[in-house]
RNA sequence: GCGCCGGUAGCUCAGUGGAUAGAGCAUCAGACUUCGGAUCUGAGGGUCGGGGGUUCGAAUCCCUCCCGGCGUACCA
């Protein structure tokens, strides 16, 4: 990436100016090389002179002049340099460099945008992690897509990523027992038994559906069964059915995990006891009121947290300690947990528990996403209140389609509430961002198709002379294309996958403007220009397809 | 009370300390004998919640106050 070349060149210029006695500073401050919002300020803008001014005891513009004097860059890269405003050094790159990027995109194809900034570091991302006692809801969908696309982005940035779903299936947990009981009651009711359904049971229709399924499949064989055994069996059957259902829905959403990690396995493998023992051994726990506590306040938590209840059962935190310990033991350098807004209170204790285990809490990144509100006809659709309202993730996908659902979940930053406009998501018009972007791709495909239909041989991108590309719309499109690797890197570093939807829209817009201004196949376009534009259009297609692929959204040839 | 997330154009929201704060929608005004008008162009619209501070420079960092959402379990 050219940016890194520029950063290195400026750092070298500063050092050389220092050695020559023209500039004084102790350590080189961090500085930025960025694309200015206003294209009049060049391709890149450097703020080094300004951040260096106070140390150098010189006016920023004077520092800039000194830096410019010592700056060495390949001639084919830099066209000119300007010192502007309070001391910005603005760089105007040679068009030939931009032309080279277009060819580089063709050379790299599907790999364009990928970088190796992650250097193969192993990262484990855990997301969705729903309880195996019900269907996936809309918020799960948001978490699923944030996680899925973040993983795509990290992989593209050179990290080695694993995707994991944590199944909260601790067999003794009250919620799983309640779920099993509800299933048993529904089953017995099917055989005419008058059992009142408990207030705190699972009232969802899917419980009844599954009970009826068991009745059809196995008949009345469980009616006379020992109640304790039956509860255990039904809990297990229900859990497996729910996991299968969740896996199926997620797969239809394009979200596939490397591993479904069951909380119950932490007990089966004795990991929970091991984690507790380790904490005890490190002196991080104490007993009080008959319970075992983690001294989490020592590591910044508000209060100490129970690990083992008075009744002897470990808490959820105890499982979580074991799980995170397990993750580190599997060799992951960095852990990412993606949780809903109701879990933010757990960040402090989870990080504290890692610190207590002797791991740097910095290695765990917890991403909290905010609430999702579905909107139809300008009104909020309240989940589950009225018949016909969308409440399940599977129903959302059915109604708006996988592409729109995925795209819309990434329309906003995770930190913001998300108003999901159901009407807009299915609208076939340019105000629907996913259509707008996909249309740009289809339009490009159409140009290339038309060219072939007219019997034109598509030019070899690597052998085409691109010097005809020079007007504002062309240059602006190319610049946007050159941003792509940087966009991926930034999204990966900041854990902000939503940046890609914005980039996709910016790129699509840039293409539509180009399309409007620069005829490719029309009579009036000379052959040399036509070939250069066909090559540019091809590069735009590759980039658009690559960003859509990262988003898990299809890049249609026709719409 | 404490904690987390928001507060930016009429609406929904971008904006990793930089130059004149952006986009979409909505409103108004334009562009099709043409490669896909599912597109493009232009205009109006802002005390970046209020107030202090940090610095060459703050929507961005710090302090404080106000408003909204969520959380504050020996539930998972």
């Amino acid at each position: 990436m050219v940016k890194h070349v520029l950063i290195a060149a400026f750092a070298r210029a500063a050092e050389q100016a220092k050695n020559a006695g023209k500039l004084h500073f102790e350590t080189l401050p961090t500085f930025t090389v960025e694309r200015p919002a206003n294209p009049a300020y060049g391709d890149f803008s450097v703020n080094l002179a300004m951040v260096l001014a106070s140390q150098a005891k010189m006016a920023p513009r004077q520092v800039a002049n000194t830096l410019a004097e010592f700056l060495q860059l390949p001639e084919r890269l830099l066209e000119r340099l300007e010192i502007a405003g309070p001391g910005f050094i603005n760089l105007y790159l040679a068009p030939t460099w931009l032309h080279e990027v277009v060819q580089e995109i063709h050379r790299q194809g599907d790999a364009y945008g990928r970088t190796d900034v992650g250097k193969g570091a192993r990262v484990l991302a855990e997301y969705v992690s729903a309880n195996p006692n019900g269907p996936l809801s809309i918020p799960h969908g948001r978490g699923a897509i944030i996680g899925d696309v973040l993983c795509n982005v990290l992989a593209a940035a050179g990290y080695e990523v694993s995707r994991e779903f944590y199944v909260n299936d601790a067999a003794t947990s009250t919620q799983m027992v309640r779920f099993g009981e509800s299933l048993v009651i529904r089953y017995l009711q099917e055989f005419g038994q008058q059992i009142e359904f408990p207030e705190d049971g699972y009232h969802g229709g899917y419980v009844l559906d599954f009970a009826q399924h068991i009745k059809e499949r196995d008949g009345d064989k469980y009616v006379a069964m020992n109640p304790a055994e039956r509860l255990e069996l039904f809990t297990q059957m229900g859990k497996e059915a729910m996991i299968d259902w969740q896996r199926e829905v997620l797969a239809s959403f394009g979200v596939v995990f490397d591993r479904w990690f069951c909380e119950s396995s932490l007990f089966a493998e004795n990991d929970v006891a091991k984690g507790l023992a380790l904490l005890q051994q490190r002196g991080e726990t104490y007993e009080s009121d008959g319970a075992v506590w983690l001294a989490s306040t020592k590591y910044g938590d508000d209060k100490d947290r129970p690990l083992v209840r008075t009744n002897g059962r470990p808490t959820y935190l105890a499982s979580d300690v074991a799980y995170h310990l397990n993750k580190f033991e599997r060799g992951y350098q960095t852990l990412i947990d993606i949780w809903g807004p109701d879990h933010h209170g757990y960040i402090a204790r989870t990080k504290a528990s890692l610190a207590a285990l002797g791991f740097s809490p910095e290695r765990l990144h917890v991403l909290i996403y905010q609430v999702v509100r579905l909107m139809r006809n300008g009104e909020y659709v309240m989940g589950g209140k009225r018949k016909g309202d969308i409440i399940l993730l599977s129903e959302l996908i059915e109604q708006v389609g996988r592409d729109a659902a995925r795209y819309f979940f990434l329309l906003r930053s995770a930190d913001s509430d998300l108003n999901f406009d159901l009407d807009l998501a299915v609208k076939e018009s340019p105000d629907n961002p996913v259509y707008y972007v996909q249309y740009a791709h289809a339009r490009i495909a159409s140009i290339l198709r038309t060219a072939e239909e007219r019997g034109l041989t598509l030019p070899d991108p690597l052998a085409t002379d691109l010097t005809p590309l020079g007007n504002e719309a062309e240059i602006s499109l190319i610049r946007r294309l050159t941003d792509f690797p940087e966009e991926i890197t930034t999204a990966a570093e900041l854990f902000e996958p939503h940046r890609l939807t914005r980039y996709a829209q910016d790129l699509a817009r840039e293409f539509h403007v180009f399309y409007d201004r620069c005829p490719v196949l029309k009579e009036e376009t000379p052959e040399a220009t036509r070939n250069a534009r066909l090559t540019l259009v091809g590069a735009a297609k590759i980039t658009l397809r690559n960003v859509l692929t990262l988003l898990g959204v299809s890049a249609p040839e026709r719409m």
Side-chain angles (χ1 to χ4, degrees), chain A residues 43 110 352 494 528:
Chain A
D43 292 282
D110 290 348
L494 300 177

Side-chain angles (χ1 to χ4, degrees), chain A residues 13 20 25 52 128 132 158 198 227-228 244 246 289 315 318 335 369 546:
Chain A
F25 61 91
L52 212 48
V128 188
D244 285 346
Q246 292 175 358
D289 304 328
T315 61
L335 308 181
Y369 58 87
N546 289 357

Side-chain angles (χ1 to χ4, degrees), chain A residues 40 58 110 155 174 180 227 248 261 297 299 402 481:
Chain A
M58 283 163 68
D110 290 348
T174 40
E248 203 177 299
F261 193 107
T297 43
Y299 300 102
R402 166 175 156 172
L481 295 175

Side-chain angles (χ1 to χ4, degrees), chain A residues 114 120-127 147-164 258 332 334 336:
Chain A
R114 304 186 78 89
R122 296 186 65 209
V123 178
L124 177 65
E126 176 217 321
Y127 45 99
D148 190 53
V149 177
L150 178 59
C151 286
N152 291 346
V153 164
L154 288 168
Y159 293 87
E160 192 189 317
V161 186
S162 298
R163 304 149 187 261
E164 205 152 291
D258 294 310
Y332 294 103
T334 302
I336 300 172

Side-chain angles (χ1 to χ4, degrees), chain A residues 357-421:
Chain A
L357 287 167
F359 295 99
S360 165
E362 309 278 307
R363 292 173 63 188
L364 171 66
H365 299 268
V366 180
L367 273 51
I368 300 289
Y369 58 87
Q370 298 302 315
V371 298
V372 182
R373 281 185 290 262
L374 297 179
M375 304 197 59
R376 174 171 285 147
N377 300 324
E379 288 176 4
Y380 294 122
V381 179
M382 303 308 286
K385 290 284 186 235
R386 278 194 335 227
K387 210 179 167 192
D389 282 352
I390 291 182
I391 43 165
L392 302 184
L393 178 58
S394 52
E395 292 166 341
L396 175 78
I397 298 167
E398 259 170 54
Q399 292 211 15
V400 306
R402 166 175 156 172
D403 285 346
R406 289 185 64 106
Y407 199 98
F408 271 59
F409 274 128
L410 285 175
L411 234 28
R412 308 289 175 236
S413 104
D415 287 339
S416 279
D417 292 356
L418 176 67
N419 293 315
F420 193 121
D421 186 335

